[in-house]
């Protein structure tokens, strides 16, 4: 996982796979950056699990209602990246 | 019209066989799944052999999304449930949603998952506990996940009675069938073979410390010195007989004809344990005399005192040498909530194939335990009715009678 | 029930936050006092939610022996103390009923987690040893691992030798265990059942798992007002602990011996949403189905229901889910019936709360008083029923509906009525 200011979508996908698995009908390697977590088959628990992982390993504070505020992989990855760079 | 609960599907995840036919073939051949513990280094532990379901890879059987949110115990239960439904040829989408239910037994929940999360909590802090601890560890996880996966919206249940729990779950399933539910997935599984789980089991004082997998668990034998723990279990599909016939279910393994549960008197009372009464009540519930039973699948604790109690009860009910008795769990270890479910699967397969599986390892019966224990090789026999007996730590007794259907 | 055997409650035992025993419990509820506070049972300073509804429980004062205290987890202790209170309350003497006709049905969501966690910390040297040291295992550790021992303890306390079980359907375990107890009597498998539920989840691991899913209230600055079911300002549930146990009896036998009958349980049903382990759809569809089925079995119409004891956990999704379920199942009657959540006062004790709520229902019938929903100042606009804010209300009550909703998607409903011949 990326450490400093270079958190990419691919890094996030790795976290998604490890924390929550992948829904059968979804290909995480396709263009999913702007597909909502919900449409990717990730429920609120899955998103909280990913958020906790990012928070614990990267030290980035993620909001409680992450699924509502950062509903897509792109939004979440950018949020993390900005705070890592700060 | 009266409603009868029949079993139309079986799914097995056992240490000596993944899948019903693999398990049954191994069991009839006397092939054991007990071996040295491989999940962690057991060298520092007093118990070093167990019945692990070692050829099970969750990713091959459980949807990817479900794997991280569930314990190994639920992986095994989900797999067995899916196989049982498949075996029954039952497509849940074809049943009314509220007329399908799930009732499973668990003895100890997601112990390994829980150990990992408690470890994180105590070494790193509360924020390191994952979101899935809330749904993976608790005893209801397997029932809930099966219900969700297969869209079963009826009255679901979870019973804990240690090793006896699965029979109580099946008893509840029968009650649901009688009161209008059409299909119930029921049974049990357990998988607490992590270091903490094993340590807790060891504290019961009932585990075998033997290192020879073939000699560590010898119920009713003069060498009985505790039991070998195992993991896995079985799930069954139970349906109302008329509905099963109407949809031309591929197989009807048998009917749940009798069930009873009792509890032992308080420790130290000196009074007879409740096991004999459970067996008699189950027979009465089935409307059968003892002579109508063709085989007893024993609880077979492997603890001398408990073996003697059970042998005494069997002899009191069936007479000396009155019934063939077997304990195929000598090839899997005791699977806790999964154990009696697996025995019930074995009993139904014995009815199907007219053969009684053997009890492995036992060579010399202990005094007072002189039963007609099927040993050495499987015994061909006409099996029209089988009784499964299970006892749970603390005083639980349960018995189920299953009969061949026409 | 197509059945002439009826089930009545003849004894009640309660251990709840804010007071031990049925009397203290009912006083707290009718006063509308809250028993939520900053957690004292463990150091919660690193936690997101540091609020709990704790029982001021002294096992010695409650009459448990040193051996019982040593071998029993806190939840088991609650259960046994409640069983003894219920038995004493029922006036049922030991020996009056053959032991094999007495059953036990105890519910619990998390069993002996507290004991399991404490022992783990010891054996693992504070979590540092994955390969825990078996040399330090206490003899009763296995009793913590298998929650069924709690049912054993109750069976021993009651001298029961009939069917005994521990029901563990998460947060509906309390209602389900009482329902299972009724089932044992309705079907003739027992004449008396000691039924109820117990949980003691105020330990770090259980608090942490609800922290992780942001389910518990982080209103740490105002613990007394943190449990706010149906209020617009609610922000999660408050973890509680406790137990309630009943003596359930076959009605004719209870009447013959002249027992005091609190109420009759006439209907019980469970449904599952098969949707999500923790999520609820706002339509309340499956809970409504459970309610309809429980009313059908109890031969009670929507118009008969005089009080609804809500699940009312104080999470937004729950409060909306069950409000929708009440409307779906009861139609217009839902708007006329008082609905309240005692979790506003004693928190959410997971599996135990369903049984504690049955106690509240039986006492509501006994005293013809509806307990209030504390802390309800500004109703969530989407929750538009009569939630009996702040103050208990005298009200004629013949029939009560109690519901539960829990992880796994389980939805349970029970109908409890005033003894019709009384």
């Amino acid at each position: 996982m990326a450490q400093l200011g270079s958190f990419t979508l691919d890094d996030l996908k790795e976290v998604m796979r490890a924390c929550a698995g992948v829904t059968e009908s979804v290909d995480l390697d396709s263009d999913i950056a702007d597909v909502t977590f919900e449409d990717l088959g990730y429920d609120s628990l899955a998103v909280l699990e990913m958020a906790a992982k990012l928070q614990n390993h990267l030290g980035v504070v993620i909001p409680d209602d992450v699924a509502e505020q950062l509903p897509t992989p792109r939004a979440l990855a950018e949020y993390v990246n900005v705070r890592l760079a700060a | 019209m009266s409603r009868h609960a029949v079993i139309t599907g079986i799914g097995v995840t056992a240490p000596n066989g993944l899948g019903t036919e693999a398990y049954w073939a191994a069991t009839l051949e006397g092939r054991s799944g007990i071996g040295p513990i491989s999940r962690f280094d057991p060298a520092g532990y007093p118990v070093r052999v167990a019945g692990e379901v070692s050829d099970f890879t969750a990713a091959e059987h459980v949807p990817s999304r479900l794997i991280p949110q569930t314990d190994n115990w639920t992986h095994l239960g989900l797999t067995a449930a899916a196989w049982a439904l498949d075996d029954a040829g039952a497509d849940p989408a074809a049943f009314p949603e509220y007329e399908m239910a799930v009732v499973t037994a668990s003895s100890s929940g997601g112990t390994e998952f829980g150990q990992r999360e408690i470890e994180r909590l105590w070494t790193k802090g509360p924020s390191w506990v994952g979101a899935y601890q809330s749904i993976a560890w608790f005893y209801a996880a397997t029932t809930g996940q099966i219900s969700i996966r297969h869209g079963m919206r009826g009255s679901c249940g979870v019973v804990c009675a240690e090793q006896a729990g699965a029979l109580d779950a099946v008893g509840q399933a029968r009650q649901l069938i009688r009161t209008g539910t059409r299909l119930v997935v029921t049974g049990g599984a357990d998988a607490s073979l992590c270091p903490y789980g094993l340590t807790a089991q060891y504290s019961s004082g009932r585990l075998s410390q033997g290192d020879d997998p073939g000699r560590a668990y010898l119920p009713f034998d003069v060498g009985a010195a505790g039991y070998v723990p195992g993991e896995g279990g079985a799930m069954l599909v139970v349906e109302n007989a008329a509905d099963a016939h109407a949809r031309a279910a591929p197989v009807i393994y048998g009917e749940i004809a009798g069930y009873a549960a009792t509890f032992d008197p308080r420790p130290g009372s000196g009074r007879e344990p409740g096991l004999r009464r459970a067996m008699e009540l189950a027979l009465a519930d089935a409307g059968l005399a003892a002579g109508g039973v063709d085989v007893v699948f024993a609880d077979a604790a492997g603890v001398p005192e408990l073996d003697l109690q059970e042998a005494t009860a069997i002899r009191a009910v069936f007479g000396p040498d009155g019934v063939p008795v077997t304990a195929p769990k000598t090839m899997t270890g005791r699977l806790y909530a999964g154990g009696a479910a697996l025995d019930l699967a074995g009993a139904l397969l014995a009815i199907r194939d007219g053969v009684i599986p053997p009890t492995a390892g036992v060579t010399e019966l202990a005094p007072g335990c002189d039963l007609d224990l099927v040993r050495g090789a499987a015994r061909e026999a006409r099996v029209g009715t089988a009784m499964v007996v299970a006892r749970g730590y603390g005083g639980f007794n349960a018995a189920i009678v299953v009969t061949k259907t026409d | 029930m197509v059945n002439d055997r009826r089930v009545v409650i003849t004894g009640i035992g309660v251990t709840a936050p804010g007071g031990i025993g049925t009397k203290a419990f009912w006083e707290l509820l009718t006063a509308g006092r809250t028993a939520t506070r900053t957690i004292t049972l463990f150091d919660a300073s690193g936690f997101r939610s540091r609020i709990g509804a704790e029982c001021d429980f002294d096992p010695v004062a409650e009459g448990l022996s040193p051996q019982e205290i040593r071998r029993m987890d806190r939840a088991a202790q609650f259960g046994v103390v409640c069983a003894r209170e219920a038995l004493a309350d029922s006036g049922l003497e030991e020996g009056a009923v053959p032991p094999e006709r007495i059953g036990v049905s105890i519910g619990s969501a998390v069993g002996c987690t507290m004991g399991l966690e404490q022992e783990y910390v010891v054996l693992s040297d504070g979590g540092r040893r994955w390969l825990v040291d078996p040399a330090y295992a206490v003899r009763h550790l296995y009793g913590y691992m298998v929650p069924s021992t709690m049912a054993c303890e109750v069976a021993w306390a009651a001298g029961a030798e009939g069917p005994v079980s521990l029901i563990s359907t998460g947060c509906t375990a309390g209602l389900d265990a009482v329902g299972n107890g009724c089932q044992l009597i309705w079907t003739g498998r027992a004449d008396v059942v000691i039924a109820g539920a117990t949980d003691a989840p105020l330990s770090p691991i259980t608090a942490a798992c609800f922290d992780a899913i942001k389910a518990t209230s982080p209103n740490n600055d105002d613990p007394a007002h943190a449990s706010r079911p149906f209020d617009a300002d609610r922000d999660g549930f408050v973890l509680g602990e406790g137990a309630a146990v009943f003596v359930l009896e076959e009605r004719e036998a209870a009447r013959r011996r002249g027992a005091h009958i609190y109420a009759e349980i006439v209907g019980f049903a469970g449904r599952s949403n098969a949707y999500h382990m923790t999520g609820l759809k706002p339509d309340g569809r499956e809970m409504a189905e459970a309610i309809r089925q429980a009313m059908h079995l109890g031969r009670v119409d929507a118009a008969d229901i005089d009080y609804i004891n809500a699940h009312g956990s104080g999470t937004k999704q729950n409060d909306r889910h069950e409000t929708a379920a009440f409307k779906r199942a009861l139609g217009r009657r839902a708007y006329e019936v008082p609905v309240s959540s005692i979790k506003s006062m004693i928190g959410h004790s997971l599996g135990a709360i369903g049984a504690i709520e049955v106690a509240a229902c039986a006492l509501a019938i006994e005293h013809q008083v509806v307990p209030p929903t504390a802390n309800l100042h500004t109703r969530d606009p989407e929750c538009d029923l009569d939630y009996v804010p702040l103050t208990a209300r005298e009200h004629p009550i013949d029939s009560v509906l109690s519901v539960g909703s829990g992880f796994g998607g389980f939805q349970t409903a029970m109908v409890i009525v005033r003894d019709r011949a009384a």
Side-chain angles (χ1 to χ4, degrees), chain C residues 120-268:
Chain C
Y120 181 71
V121 173
V122 174
L123 300 184
S124 67
D125 187 18
R128 284 181 286 272
R129 286 182 59 149
W130 176 256
L131 295 175
V132 297
D133 190 343
Y136 293 101
V138 290
R139 222 180 41 175
H140 51 255
L141 179 58
Y142 190 58
Y144 291 169
M145 187 185 182
V146 291
S148 44
T149 48
M150 301 202 293
C152 299
E153 292 286 357
V154 170
W156 294 331
E161 298 175 20
V164 171
S165 51
L166 189 289
I167 303 293
S168 194
T169 33
C171 294
T172 61
L175 271 185
D176 290 340
V178 175
N180 179 60
C182 294
Q183 210 50 267
L184 291 176
I185 295 177
W186 283 329
T187 57
R189 294 179 59 214
D191 296 323
V192 171
V193 176
I194 314 304
T198 180
D199 261 308
L202 284 164
S203 75
I205 186 60
T206 308
C209 84
F210 291 116
D211 259 19
I213 57 172
K214 326 287 181 197
T216 37
S217 168
N219 189 5
N220 299 308
D221 296 333
D222 190 10
H225 303 105
S227 183
R228 313 177 67 81
F230 307 112
D231 191 279
D233 295 332
R234 66 191 169 317
D235 55 8
F237 74 87
V238 171
L239 197 55
E241 61 172 358
V245 175
F246 308 96
V247 174
L248 305 180
E249 283 186 76
E250 192 275 316
R251 181 170 175 273
E252 285 314 306
R255 283 170 54 85
R256 271 198 304 276
R257 74 174 184 90
H260 173 69
I261 293 174
Y262 286 94
E264 178 181 356
I265 300 176
V266 295
F268 162 71

Side-chain angles (χ1 to χ4, degrees), chain B residues 39-42 44-46 69 97-98 106-109 111-112 114-123 126-127 129-145 147-163 168 172 174-175 179 192 194-204 227 259-267 271-272 277 336 392-396, chain C residues 46-48 94 99-101 108-113 115-121 123 126-135 137-149 151-153 155-171 176 180 183 187 189 204-206 208-213 268-278 281 285-286 289 293 407-410:
Chain B
R39 194 158 306 154
F40 59 93
D41 178 4
Y45 290 80
Q69 57 179 285
E97 56 186 346
Y98 293 123
S106 166
S107 84
S108 51
T111 311
E112 182 160 10
Q115 182 180 349
R116 215 180 308 126
E117 297 296 333
I118 301 180
E119 179 195 40
R120 283 199 198 117
L121 166 63
W122 282 85
T123 54
S127 70
V129 172
Y132 292 135
Q133 165 71 1
S134 62
I135 58 165
W137 173 84
F138 77 141
Y139 311 99
T142 299
T143 284
Q145 293 286 7
S147 150
I148 293 168
R149 187 176 182 196
H150 299 291
M152 300 181 164
R153 296 197 164 87
S155 179
C156 289
V158 180
V159 191
C160 304
E162 214 250 3
Q163 179 88 10
D168 293 329
Q172 273 200 12
R174 182 181 69 157
Q175 179 62 28
T179 51
S192 291
C194 58
Y196 190 44
L198 185 73
T199 298
Q201 291 165 54
Y202 168 68
S203 72
S204 72
Y227 68 83
Y259 157 69
T262 67
F263 194 74
D264 287 341
R266 289 188 184 106
R271 293 181 29 236
E272 185 194 356
R277 198 158 44 82
Y336 301 98
Y393 181 84
F396 300 93
Chain C
F47 286 68
R48 177 179 179 272
E94 183 154 350
E100 59 269 24
R101 297 297 301 166
S108 184
V110 301
C112 307
T113 325
L116 267 180
E117 182 176 10
Q118 283 165 356
E119 294 302 326
Y120 181 71
V121 173
L123 300 184
R128 284 181 286 272
R129 286 182 59 149
W130 176 256
L131 295 175
V132 297
D133 190 343
V138 290
R139 222 180 41 175
H140 51 255
L141 179 58
Y142 190 58
Y144 291 169
M145 187 185 182
V146 291
S148 44
T149 48
C152 299
E153 292 286 357
W156 294 331
E161 298 175 20
V164 171
S165 51
L166 189 289
I167 303 293
S168 194
T169 33
C171 294
D176 290 340
N180 179 60
Q183 210 50 267
T187 57
R189 294 179 59 214
I205 186 60
T206 308
C209 84
F210 291 116
D211 259 19
I213 57 172
F268 162 71
R271 291 291 182 263
S272 308
N273 66 23
Y275 163 63
H276 193 270
M277 287 297 281
T278 64
K281 285 190 193 159
R285 186 171 166 270
E286 294 80 16
E289 183 63 24
Q293 180 67 7
F407 285 10
F410 311 135

Side-chain angles (χ1 to χ4, degrees), chain C residues 87-116:
Chain C
L87 280 161
D89 184 40
S90 76
L92 197 66
E93 303 281 341
E94 183 154 350
V97 176
E100 59 269 24
R101 297 297 301 166
I102 305 175
V104 169
S105 178
I106 298 295
S108 184
V110 301
C112 307
T113 325
M114 187 178 278
L116 267 180

